[in-house]
Amino acid sequence: HTRPLPPGKLVLVATGLLIDHDGYVVVPLYVDRQTVGDSPLMVRMGDGKLTTARFVGSDPMTKLTVIQLDNHNGTPATISRGRPEEGSLTLVMSADGGARLVVWTSQHPEPGLIVTPDGSVAGFGFNDRLLTAAACMPIVQQIIATGQVHRAVLGVWVREVPKDDALRQNSPVLGTKPAICIVNVEANSAAQAGGLRPGDLILAVGGEPVGETETFAAVTATRSGKTDLQVLRDSAMLTLSVDLQPR
């Protein structure tokens, strides 16, 4: 969230991820450009020092904001290629700067920045969800390049499938796999042309597991052209191809 400081100043209170030597930082928090305007942001670094930053852009669908630090001496994070392994020991860094070791479970991700045993960053945990850093990066690069996201549109309305959902209880094939349930398919959309139907469960997009709306929005946003979707329909596993085109 943001809270006012002296006039013309804003401070962003969240755990950010430094991604390169140019000082770009991604924050798992949506901040509207109109709220910030051209005012500088005051950012507290990991060593407690304050610096200023400029607002670069944000994406409401993935709840990501990118800022650029004016001065920093930090080391860019190494991005993990996937999710932590079940039962592995991870370091969770919370928004207030605290850190704790936890045993990873995909069913109950700890809130905060998730760091794997090899020191790489797996992503952001929030509300029992994980938005992987790898899925974030294409979104972040678009924001850096253009200030916004020109996303591909699949043409579906979806809902999440929580761990206690009746669909999981009635479908042994689904089990604990991450999944997004299609509620509606728009006419004349890429989804309709690809054969998707209401009730289908999307398990992966282009090989990336999707179980949260933010992850789904992230992995579909920057896809272009033919993209394979792993779908569970009734008890049958299907691979459907859709033609995603950015708008």
Side-chain angles (χ1 to χ4, degrees), residues 144-181:
I144 291 173
T146 68
Q148 56 187 327
V149 179
H150 302 279
R151 55 180 9 97
V153 178
L154 180 58
V156 294
W157 292 88
V158 299
R159 71 171 182 87
E160 297 179 3
V161 184
K163 63 181 184 302
D164 57 352
D165 196 286
L167 286 173
R168 297 191 182 278
Q169 299 172 12
N170 299 327
S171 177
V173 178
L174 177 59
T176 60
K177 295 182 180 69
I180 290 287
C181 181

PDB file of all heavy atoms in Angstrom, residues 144-181:
ATOM      1  N   ILE A 144       8.499  -2.270 -18.413  1.00  0.00           N
ATOM      2  CA  ILE A 144       9.721  -1.473 -18.536  1.00  0.00           C
ATOM      3  C   ILE A 144       9.819  -0.854 -19.930  1.00  0.00           C
ATOM      4  O   ILE A 144      10.189   0.314 -20.092  1.00  0.00           O
ATOM      5  CB  ILE A 144      10.961  -2.340 -18.243  1.00  0.00           C
ATOM      6  CG1 ILE A 144      10.999  -2.719 -16.753  1.00  0.00           C
ATOM      7  CG2 ILE A 144      12.246  -1.609 -18.627  1.00  0.00           C
ATOM      8  CD1 ILE A 144      12.092  -3.702 -16.402  1.00  0.00           C
ATOM      9  N   ALA A 145       9.474  -1.629 -20.946  1.00  0.00           N
ATOM     10  CA  ALA A 145       9.622  -1.164 -22.330  1.00  0.00           C
ATOM     11  C   ALA A 145       8.559  -0.146 -22.727  1.00  0.00           C
ATOM     12  O   ALA A 145       8.860   0.819 -23.454  1.00  0.00           O
ATOM     13  CB  ALA A 145       9.583  -2.358 -23.283  1.00  0.00           C
ATOM     14  N   THR A 146       7.313  -0.339 -22.250  1.00  0.00           N
ATOM     15  CA  THR A 146       6.212   0.503 -22.745  1.00  0.00           C
ATOM     16  C   THR A 146       5.392   1.177 -21.655  1.00  0.00           C
ATOM     17  O   THR A 146       4.538   2.009 -21.962  1.00  0.00           O
ATOM     18  CB  THR A 146       5.244  -0.341 -23.606  1.00  0.00           C
ATOM     19  OG1 THR A 146       4.556  -1.292 -22.771  1.00  0.00           O
ATOM     20  CG2 THR A 146       6.000  -1.097 -24.693  1.00  0.00           C
ATOM     21  N   GLY A 147       5.604   0.791 -20.386  1.00  0.00           N
ATOM     22  CA  GLY A 147       4.824   1.368 -19.303  1.00  0.00           C
ATOM     23  C   GLY A 147       3.501   0.680 -19.068  1.00  0.00           C
ATOM     24  O   GLY A 147       2.769   1.042 -18.141  1.00  0.00           O
ATOM     25  N   GLN A 148       3.171  -0.316 -19.904  1.00  0.00           N
ATOM     26  CA  GLN A 148       1.907  -1.029 -19.750  1.00  0.00           C
ATOM     27  C   GLN A 148       2.040  -2.419 -20.363  1.00  0.00           C
ATOM     28  O   GLN A 148       3.098  -2.774 -20.885  1.00  0.00           O
ATOM     29  CB  GLN A 148       0.776  -0.253 -20.434  1.00  0.00           C
ATOM     30  CG  GLN A 148       1.027   0.027 -21.901  1.00  0.00           C
ATOM     31  CD  GLN A 148      -0.035   0.937 -22.504  1.00  0.00           C
ATOM     32  OE1 GLN A 148      -1.197   0.886 -22.100  1.00  0.00           O
ATOM     33  NE2 GLN A 148       0.357   1.767 -23.448  1.00  0.00           N
ATOM     34  N   VAL A 149       0.954  -3.202 -20.287  1.00  0.00           N
ATOM     35  CA  VAL A 149       0.971  -4.560 -20.816  1.00  0.00           C
ATOM     36  C   VAL A 149      -0.035  -4.679 -21.957  1.00  0.00           C
ATOM     37  O   VAL A 149      -1.204  -4.336 -21.790  1.00  0.00           O
ATOM     38  CB  VAL A 149       0.633  -5.591 -19.715  1.00  0.00           C
ATOM     39  CG1 VAL A 149       0.625  -7.013 -20.290  1.00  0.00           C
ATOM     40  CG2 VAL A 149       1.633  -5.487 -18.568  1.00  0.00           C
ATOM     41  N   HIS A 150       0.434  -5.130 -23.102  1.00  0.00           N
ATOM     42  CA  HIS A 150      -0.431  -5.403 -24.246  1.00  0.00           C
ATOM     43  C   HIS A 150      -0.636  -6.920 -24.269  1.00  0.00           C
ATOM     44  O   HIS A 150       0.149  -7.650 -24.857  1.00  0.00           O
ATOM     45  CB  HIS A 150       0.199  -4.907 -25.535  1.00  0.00           C
ATOM     46  CG  HIS A 150       0.499  -3.429 -25.522  1.00  0.00           C
ATOM     47  ND1 HIS A 150      -0.459  -2.472 -25.777  1.00  0.00           N
ATOM     48  CD2 HIS A 150       1.651  -2.758 -25.250  1.00  0.00           C
ATOM     49  CE1 HIS A 150       0.076  -1.271 -25.680  1.00  0.00           C
ATOM     50  NE2 HIS A 150       1.361  -1.410 -25.364  1.00  0.00           N
ATOM     51  N   ARG A 151      -1.679  -7.388 -23.622  1.00  0.00           N
ATOM     52  CA  ARG A 151      -1.823  -8.807 -23.390  1.00  0.00           C
ATOM     53  C   ARG A 151      -2.622  -9.510 -24.475  1.00  0.00           C
ATOM     54  O   ARG A 151      -3.524  -8.929 -25.089  1.00  0.00           O
ATOM     55  CB  ARG A 151      -2.426  -9.094 -22.017  1.00  0.00           C
ATOM     56  CG  ARG A 151      -3.714  -8.447 -21.722  1.00  0.00           C
ATOM     57  CD  ARG A 151      -4.273  -8.769 -20.327  1.00  0.00           C
ATOM     58  NE  ARG A 151      -3.413  -9.463 -19.427  1.00  0.00           N
ATOM     59  CZ  ARG A 151      -2.680  -8.867 -18.480  1.00  0.00           C
ATOM     60  NH1 ARG A 151      -2.708  -7.562 -18.348  1.00  0.00           N
ATOM     61  NH2 ARG A 151      -1.930  -9.585 -17.679  1.00  0.00           N
ATOM     62  N   ALA A 152      -2.256 -10.760 -24.669  1.00  0.00           N
ATOM     63  CA  ALA A 152      -3.052 -11.631 -25.524  1.00  0.00           C
ATOM     64  C   ALA A 152      -4.338 -11.984 -24.794  1.00  0.00           C
ATOM     65  O   ALA A 152      -4.363 -12.097 -23.571  1.00  0.00           O
ATOM     66  CB  ALA A 152      -2.270 -12.895 -25.870  1.00  0.00           C
ATOM     67  N   VAL A 153      -5.408 -12.148 -25.544  1.00  0.00           N
ATOM     68  CA  VAL A 153      -6.719 -12.420 -24.941  1.00  0.00           C
ATOM     69  C   VAL A 153      -7.193 -13.795 -25.377  1.00  0.00           C
ATOM     70  O   VAL A 153      -7.337 -14.066 -26.570  1.00  0.00           O
ATOM     71  CB  VAL A 153      -7.739 -11.341 -25.341  1.00  0.00           C
ATOM     72  CG1 VAL A 153      -9.107 -11.663 -24.751  1.00  0.00           C
ATOM     73  CG2 VAL A 153      -7.266  -9.973 -24.871  1.00  0.00           C
ATOM     74  N   LEU A 154      -7.434 -14.666 -24.402  1.00  0.00           N
ATOM     75  CA  LEU A 154      -7.928 -16.001 -24.684  1.00  0.00           C
ATOM     76  C   LEU A 154      -9.435 -15.990 -24.919  1.00  0.00           C
ATOM     77  O   LEU A 154      -9.951 -16.706 -25.771  1.00  0.00           O
ATOM     78  CB  LEU A 154      -7.577 -16.934 -23.528  1.00  0.00           C
ATOM     79  CG  LEU A 154      -8.016 -18.396 -23.631  1.00  0.00           C
ATOM     80  CD1 LEU A 154      -7.442 -19.043 -24.892  1.00  0.00           C
ATOM     81  CD2 LEU A 154      -7.568 -19.172 -22.393  1.00  0.00           C
ATOM     82  N   GLY A 155     -10.159 -15.169 -24.164  1.00  0.00           N
ATOM     83  CA  GLY A 155     -11.598 -15.073 -24.346  1.00  0.00           C
ATOM     84  C   GLY A 155     -12.389 -16.001 -23.456  1.00  0.00           C
ATOM     85  O   GLY A 155     -13.364 -16.619 -23.907  1.00  0.00           O
ATOM     86  N   VAL A 156     -12.000 -16.102 -22.184  1.00  0.00           N
ATOM     87  CA  VAL A 156     -12.738 -16.935 -21.236  1.00  0.00           C
ATOM     88  C   VAL A 156     -12.939 -16.177 -19.931  1.00  0.00           C
ATOM     89  O   VAL A 156     -12.143 -15.302 -19.573  1.00  0.00           O
ATOM     90  CB  VAL A 156     -12.003 -18.263 -20.942  1.00  0.00           C
ATOM     91  CG1 VAL A 156     -11.944 -19.139 -22.171  1.00  0.00           C
ATOM     92  CG2 VAL A 156     -10.587 -18.010 -20.388  1.00  0.00           C
ATOM     93  N   TRP A 157     -14.014 -16.528 -19.238  1.00  0.00           N
ATOM     94  CA  TRP A 157     -14.201 -16.128 -17.845  1.00  0.00           C
ATOM     95  C   TRP A 157     -13.825 -17.345 -17.001  1.00  0.00           C
ATOM     96  O   TRP A 157     -14.251 -18.466 -17.316  1.00  0.00           O
ATOM     97  CB  TRP A 157     -15.652 -15.734 -17.585  1.00  0.00           C
ATOM     98  CG  TRP A 157     -16.059 -14.478 -18.292  1.00  0.00           C
ATOM     99  CD1 TRP A 157     -16.556 -14.382 -19.565  1.00  0.00           C
ATOM    100  CD2 TRP A 157     -16.001 -13.144 -17.785  1.00  0.00           C
ATOM    101  NE1 TRP A 157     -16.801 -13.076 -19.884  1.00  0.00           N
ATOM    102  CE2 TRP A 157     -16.478 -12.284 -18.807  1.00  0.00           C
ATOM    103  CE3 TRP A 157     -15.591 -12.589 -16.573  1.00  0.00           C
ATOM    104  CZ2 TRP A 157     -16.560 -10.908 -18.649  1.00  0.00           C
ATOM    105  CZ3 TRP A 157     -15.672 -11.216 -16.416  1.00  0.00           C
ATOM    106  CH2 TRP A 157     -16.149 -10.383 -17.439  1.00  0.00           C
ATOM    107  N   VAL A 158     -13.029 -17.124 -15.977  1.00  0.00           N
ATOM    108  CA  VAL A 158     -12.532 -18.259 -15.209  1.00  0.00           C
ATOM    109  C   VAL A 158     -12.718 -18.021 -13.713  1.00  0.00           C
ATOM    110  O   VAL A 158     -12.948 -16.902 -13.265  1.00  0.00           O
ATOM    111  CB  VAL A 158     -11.028 -18.516 -15.494  1.00  0.00           C
ATOM    112  CG1 VAL A 158     -10.803 -18.848 -16.962  1.00  0.00           C
ATOM    113  CG2 VAL A 158     -10.174 -17.315 -15.073  1.00  0.00           C
ATOM    114  N   ARG A 159     -12.594 -19.111 -12.967  1.00  0.00           N
ATOM    115  CA  ARG A 159     -12.558 -19.038 -11.500  1.00  0.00           C
ATOM    116  C   ARG A 159     -11.496 -20.001 -11.012  1.00  0.00           C
ATOM    117  O   ARG A 159     -11.133 -20.962 -11.700  1.00  0.00           O
ATOM    118  CB  ARG A 159     -13.914 -19.385 -10.887  1.00  0.00           C
ATOM    119  CG  ARG A 159     -14.311 -20.852 -10.986  1.00  0.00           C
ATOM    120  CD  ARG A 159     -15.566 -21.149 -10.173  1.00  0.00           C
ATOM    121  NE  ARG A 159     -15.961 -22.549 -10.210  1.00  0.00           N
ATOM    122  CZ  ARG A 159     -15.489 -23.481  -9.377  1.00  0.00           C
ATOM    123  NH1 ARG A 159     -14.572 -23.155  -8.464  1.00  0.00           N
ATOM    124  NH2 ARG A 159     -15.905 -24.732  -9.456  1.00  0.00           N
ATOM    125  N   GLU A 160     -11.000 -19.727  -9.823  1.00  0.00           N
ATOM    126  CA  GLU A 160     -10.012 -20.610  -9.226  1.00  0.00           C
ATOM    127  C   GLU A 160     -10.680 -21.864  -8.667  1.00  0.00           C
ATOM    128  O   GLU A 160     -11.887 -21.884  -8.421  1.00  0.00           O
ATOM    129  CB  GLU A 160      -9.243 -19.877  -8.126  1.00  0.00           C
ATOM    130  CG  GLU A 160      -8.435 -18.698  -8.655  1.00  0.00           C
ATOM    131  CD  GLU A 160      -7.693 -17.955  -7.561  1.00  0.00           C
ATOM    132  OE1 GLU A 160      -7.755 -18.387  -6.389  1.00  0.00           O
ATOM    133  OE2 GLU A 160      -7.040 -16.948  -7.874  1.00  0.00           O
ATOM    134  N   VAL A 161      -9.891 -22.919  -8.497  1.00  0.00           N
ATOM    135  CA  VAL A 161     -10.377 -24.176  -7.936  1.00  0.00           C
ATOM    136  C   VAL A 161      -9.608 -24.422  -6.636  1.00  0.00           C
ATOM    137  O   VAL A 161      -8.528 -25.008  -6.646  1.00  0.00           O
ATOM    138  CB  VAL A 161     -10.172 -25.353  -8.917  1.00  0.00           C
ATOM    139  CG1 VAL A 161     -10.776 -26.635  -8.349  1.00  0.00           C
ATOM    140  CG2 VAL A 161     -10.784 -25.036 -10.275  1.00  0.00           C
ATOM    141  N   PRO A 162     -10.137 -23.941  -5.498  1.00  0.00           N
ATOM    142  CA  PRO A 162      -9.420 -24.096  -4.229  1.00  0.00           C
ATOM    143  C   PRO A 162      -9.312 -25.550  -3.810  1.00  0.00           C
ATOM    144  O   PRO A 162      -9.958 -26.434  -4.369  1.00  0.00           O
ATOM    145  CB  PRO A 162     -10.269 -23.287  -3.241  1.00  0.00           C
ATOM    146  CG  PRO A 162     -11.632 -23.236  -3.861  1.00  0.00           C
ATOM    147  CD  PRO A 162     -11.412 -23.227  -5.343  1.00  0.00           C
ATOM    148  N   LYS A 163      -8.490 -25.777  -2.799  1.00  0.00           N
ATOM    149  CA  LYS A 163      -8.171 -27.150  -2.368  1.00  0.00           C
ATOM    150  C   LYS A 163      -9.388 -27.909  -1.864  1.00  0.00           C
ATOM    151  O   LYS A 163      -9.427 -29.141  -1.928  1.00  0.00           O
ATOM    152  CB  LYS A 163      -7.092 -27.115  -1.281  1.00  0.00           C
ATOM    153  CG  LYS A 163      -7.497 -26.419   0.004  1.00  0.00           C
ATOM    154  CD  LYS A 163      -6.367 -26.412   0.996  1.00  0.00           C
ATOM    155  CE  LYS A 163      -6.771 -25.796   2.327  1.00  0.00           C
ATOM    156  NZ  LYS A 163      -7.270 -24.422   2.217  1.00  0.00           N
ATOM    157  N   ASP A 164     -10.406 -27.197  -1.375  1.00  0.00           N
ATOM    158  CA  ASP A 164     -11.592 -27.869  -0.840  1.00  0.00           C
ATOM    159  C   ASP A 164     -12.767 -27.836  -1.816  1.00  0.00           C
ATOM    160  O   ASP A 164     -13.900 -28.125  -1.439  1.00  0.00           O
ATOM    161  CB  ASP A 164     -12.006 -27.237   0.492  1.00  0.00           C
ATOM    162  CG  ASP A 164     -12.262 -25.734   0.371  1.00  0.00           C
ATOM    163  OD1 ASP A 164     -11.965 -25.166  -0.705  1.00  0.00           O
ATOM    164  OD2 ASP A 164     -12.749 -25.133   1.353  1.00  0.00           O
ATOM    165  N   ASP A 165     -12.503 -27.493  -3.065  1.00  0.00           N
ATOM    166  CA  ASP A 165     -13.564 -27.415  -4.064  1.00  0.00           C
ATOM    167  C   ASP A 165     -14.138 -28.801  -4.339  1.00  0.00           C
ATOM    168  O   ASP A 165     -13.420 -29.802  -4.372  1.00  0.00           O
ATOM    169  CB  ASP A 165     -13.009 -26.813  -5.358  1.00  0.00           C
ATOM    170  CG  ASP A 165     -14.113 -26.354  -6.297  1.00  0.00           C
ATOM    171  OD1 ASP A 165     -14.763 -27.220  -6.923  1.00  0.00           O
ATOM    172  OD2 ASP A 165     -14.304 -25.132  -6.427  1.00  0.00           O
ATOM    173  N   ALA A 166     -15.454 -28.855  -4.581  1.00  0.00           N
ATOM    174  CA  ALA A 166     -16.113 -30.131  -4.864  1.00  0.00           C
ATOM    175  C   ALA A 166     -15.554 -30.796  -6.113  1.00  0.00           C
ATOM    176  O   ALA A 166     -15.567 -32.036  -6.221  1.00  0.00           O
ATOM    177  CB  ALA A 166     -17.622 -29.908  -5.019  1.00  0.00           C
ATOM    178  N   LEU A 167     -15.058 -30.010  -7.056  1.00  0.00           N
ATOM    179  CA  LEU A 167     -14.468 -30.586  -8.260  1.00  0.00           C
ATOM    180  C   LEU A 167     -13.304 -31.505  -7.924  1.00  0.00           C
ATOM    181  O   LEU A 167     -13.113 -32.546  -8.559  1.00  0.00           O
ATOM    182  CB  LEU A 167     -13.998 -29.468  -9.195  1.00  0.00           C
ATOM    183  CG  LEU A 167     -15.082 -28.701  -9.955  1.00  0.00           C
ATOM    184  CD1 LEU A 167     -14.461 -27.515 -10.688  1.00  0.00           C
ATOM    185  CD2 LEU A 167     -15.805 -29.610 -10.930  1.00  0.00           C
ATOM    186  N   ARG A 168     -12.518 -31.134  -6.930  1.00  0.00           N
ATOM    187  CA  ARG A 168     -11.376 -31.961  -6.534  1.00  0.00           C
ATOM    188  C   ARG A 168     -11.845 -33.246  -5.842  1.00  0.00           C
ATOM    189  O   ARG A 168     -11.267 -34.318  -6.051  1.00  0.00           O
ATOM    190  CB  ARG A 168     -10.443 -31.177  -5.617  1.00  0.00           C
ATOM    191  CG  ARG A 168      -9.807 -29.962  -6.282  1.00  0.00           C
ATOM    192  CD  ARG A 168      -8.703 -29.380  -5.432  1.00  0.00           C
ATOM    193  NE  ARG A 168      -8.132 -28.196  -6.056  1.00  0.00           N
ATOM    194  CZ  ARG A 168      -7.204 -28.221  -7.013  1.00  0.00           C
ATOM    195  NH1 ARG A 168      -6.743 -29.378  -7.439  1.00  0.00           N
ATOM    196  NH2 ARG A 168      -6.736 -27.102  -7.526  1.00  0.00           N
ATOM    197  N   GLN A 169     -12.887 -33.124  -5.060  1.00  0.00           N
ATOM    198  CA  GLN A 169     -13.407 -34.296  -4.344  1.00  0.00           C
ATOM    199  C   GLN A 169     -14.011 -35.311  -5.301  1.00  0.00           C
ATOM    200  O   GLN A 169     -13.970 -36.512  -5.057  1.00  0.00           O
ATOM    201  CB  GLN A 169     -14.446 -33.841  -3.324  1.00  0.00           C
ATOM    202  CG  GLN A 169     -13.884 -32.880  -2.270  1.00  0.00           C
ATOM    203  CD  GLN A 169     -14.970 -32.287  -1.393  1.00  0.00           C
ATOM    204  OE1 GLN A 169     -16.104 -32.728  -1.405  1.00  0.00           O
ATOM    205  NE2 GLN A 169     -14.602 -31.260  -0.629  1.00  0.00           N
ATOM    206  N   ASN A 170     -14.553 -34.807  -6.424  1.00  0.00           N
ATOM    207  CA  ASN A 170     -15.225 -35.692  -7.374  1.00  0.00           C
ATOM    208  C   ASN A 170     -14.340 -36.116  -8.539  1.00  0.00           C
ATOM    209  O   ASN A 170     -14.796 -36.858  -9.407  1.00  0.00           O
ATOM    210  CB  ASN A 170     -16.483 -35.001  -7.924  1.00  0.00           C
ATOM    211  CG  ASN A 170     -17.490 -34.680  -6.837  1.00  0.00           C
ATOM    212  OD1 ASN A 170     -17.605 -35.417  -5.862  1.00  0.00           O
ATOM    213  ND2 ASN A 170     -18.217 -33.592  -7.007  1.00  0.00           N
ATOM    214  N   SER A 171     -13.099 -35.636  -8.558  1.00  0.00           N
ATOM    215  CA  SER A 171     -12.222 -35.951  -9.683  1.00  0.00           C
ATOM    216  C   SER A 171     -10.853 -36.396  -9.183  1.00  0.00           C
ATOM    217  O   SER A 171      -9.967 -35.560  -8.957  1.00  0.00           O
ATOM    218  CB  SER A 171     -12.064 -34.725 -10.597  1.00  0.00           C
ATOM    219  OG  SER A 171     -11.159 -34.988 -11.652  1.00  0.00           O
ATOM    220  N   PRO A 172     -10.652 -37.698  -9.017  1.00  0.00           N
ATOM    221  CA  PRO A 172      -9.341 -38.203  -8.580  1.00  0.00           C
ATOM    222  C   PRO A 172      -8.220 -37.817  -9.537  1.00  0.00           C
ATOM    223  O   PRO A 172      -7.078 -37.652  -9.118  1.00  0.00           O
ATOM    224  CB  PRO A 172      -9.550 -39.722  -8.549  1.00  0.00           C
ATOM    225  CG  PRO A 172     -11.021 -39.915  -8.403  1.00  0.00           C
ATOM    226  CD  PRO A 172     -11.637 -38.793  -9.172  1.00  0.00           C
ATOM    227  N   VAL A 173      -8.543 -37.666 -10.816  1.00  0.00           N
ATOM    228  CA  VAL A 173      -7.516 -37.292 -11.800  1.00  0.00           C
ATOM    229  C   VAL A 173      -6.971 -35.903 -11.499  1.00  0.00           C
ATOM    230  O   VAL A 173      -5.778 -35.632 -11.655  1.00  0.00           O
ATOM    231  CB  VAL A 173      -8.092 -37.336 -13.229  1.00  0.00           C
ATOM    232  CG1 VAL A 173      -7.040 -36.892 -14.246  1.00  0.00           C
ATOM    233  CG2 VAL A 173      -8.576 -38.746 -13.558  1.00  0.00           C
ATOM    234  N   LEU A 174      -7.839 -35.000 -11.055  1.00  0.00           N
ATOM    235  CA  LEU A 174      -7.410 -33.640 -10.737  1.00  0.00           C
ATOM    236  C   LEU A 174      -6.546 -33.616  -9.486  1.00  0.00           C
ATOM    237  O   LEU A 174      -5.478 -32.998  -9.473  1.00  0.00           O
ATOM    238  CB  LEU A 174      -8.632 -32.737 -10.563  1.00  0.00           C
ATOM    239  CG  LEU A 174      -8.360 -31.290 -10.149  1.00  0.00           C
ATOM    240  CD1 LEU A 174      -7.477 -30.582 -11.162  1.00  0.00           C
ATOM    241  CD2 LEU A 174      -9.682 -30.535  -9.965  1.00  0.00           C
ATOM    242  N   GLY A 175      -6.995 -34.284  -8.434  1.00  0.00           N
ATOM    243  CA  GLY A 175      -6.227 -34.325  -7.193  1.00  0.00           C
ATOM    244  C   GLY A 175      -5.889 -32.938  -6.688  1.00  0.00           C
ATOM    245  O   GLY A 175      -6.751 -32.071  -6.559  1.00  0.00           O
ATOM    246  N   THR A 176      -4.605 -32.687  -6.439  1.00  0.00           N
ATOM    247  CA  THR A 176      -4.151 -31.395  -5.916  1.00  0.00           C
ATOM    248  C   THR A 176      -3.500 -30.526  -6.988  1.00  0.00           C
ATOM    249  O   THR A 176      -2.877 -29.521  -6.677  1.00  0.00           O
ATOM    250  CB  THR A 176      -3.142 -31.608  -4.771  1.00  0.00           C
ATOM    251  OG1 THR A 176      -2.004 -32.342  -5.278  1.00  0.00           O
ATOM    252  CG2 THR A 176      -3.766 -32.374  -3.620  1.00  0.00           C
ATOM    253  N   LYS A 177      -3.641 -30.919  -8.263  1.00  0.00           N
ATOM    254  CA  LYS A 177      -3.020 -30.152  -9.345  1.00  0.00           C
ATOM    255  C   LYS A 177      -3.574 -28.727  -9.391  1.00  0.00           C
ATOM    256  O   LYS A 177      -4.785 -28.521  -9.202  1.00  0.00           O
ATOM    257  CB  LYS A 177      -3.262 -30.818 -10.705  1.00  0.00           C
ATOM    258  CG  LYS A 177      -2.631 -32.181 -10.892  1.00  0.00           C
ATOM    259  CD  LYS A 177      -2.916 -32.698 -12.294  1.00  0.00           C
ATOM    260  CE  LYS A 177      -2.303 -34.066 -12.532  1.00  0.00           C
ATOM    261  NZ  LYS A 177      -2.991 -35.108 -11.727  1.00  0.00           N
ATOM    262  N   PRO A 178      -2.732 -27.731  -9.650  1.00  0.00           N
ATOM    263  CA  PRO A 178      -3.254 -26.380  -9.864  1.00  0.00           C
ATOM    264  C   PRO A 178      -4.210 -26.388 -11.047  1.00  0.00           C
ATOM    265  O   PRO A 178      -3.985 -27.074 -12.043  1.00  0.00           O
ATOM    266  CB  PRO A 178      -1.994 -25.551 -10.175  1.00  0.00           C
ATOM    267  CG  PRO A 178      -0.853 -26.347  -9.620  1.00  0.00           C
ATOM    268  CD  PRO A 178      -1.263 -27.788  -9.774  1.00  0.00           C
ATOM    269  N   ALA A 179      -5.294 -25.613 -10.951  1.00  0.00           N
ATOM    270  CA  ALA A 179      -6.287 -25.615 -12.024  1.00  0.00           C
ATOM    271  C   ALA A 179      -7.105 -24.335 -12.003  1.00  0.00           C
ATOM    272  O   ALA A 179      -7.345 -23.741 -10.948  1.00  0.00           O
ATOM    273  CB  ALA A 179      -7.213 -26.825 -11.912  1.00  0.00           C
ATOM    274  N   ILE A 180      -7.534 -23.934 -13.199  1.00  0.00           N
ATOM    275  CA  ILE A 180      -8.451 -22.819 -13.394  1.00  0.00           C
ATOM    276  C   ILE A 180      -9.672 -23.368 -14.123  1.00  0.00           C
ATOM    277  O   ILE A 180      -9.532 -24.048 -15.145  1.00  0.00           O
ATOM    278  CB  ILE A 180      -7.793 -21.698 -14.230  1.00  0.00           C
ATOM    279  CG1 ILE A 180      -6.688 -20.999 -13.438  1.00  0.00           C
ATOM    280  CG2 ILE A 180      -8.832 -20.692 -14.702  1.00  0.00           C
ATOM    281  CD1 ILE A 180      -7.182 -20.093 -12.331  1.00  0.00           C
ATOM    282  N   CYS A 181     -10.860 -23.068 -13.618  1.00  0.00           N
ATOM    283  CA  CYS A 181     -12.089 -23.576 -14.225  1.00  0.00           C
ATOM    284  C   CYS A 181     -12.703 -22.526 -15.143  1.00  0.00           C
ATOM    285  O   CYS A 181     -12.865 -21.356 -14.756  1.00  0.00           O
ATOM    286  CB  CYS A 181     -13.086 -23.961 -13.134  1.00  0.00           C
ATOM    287  SG  CYS A 181     -14.642 -24.643 -13.775  1.00  0.00           S
TER     288      CYS A 181
END
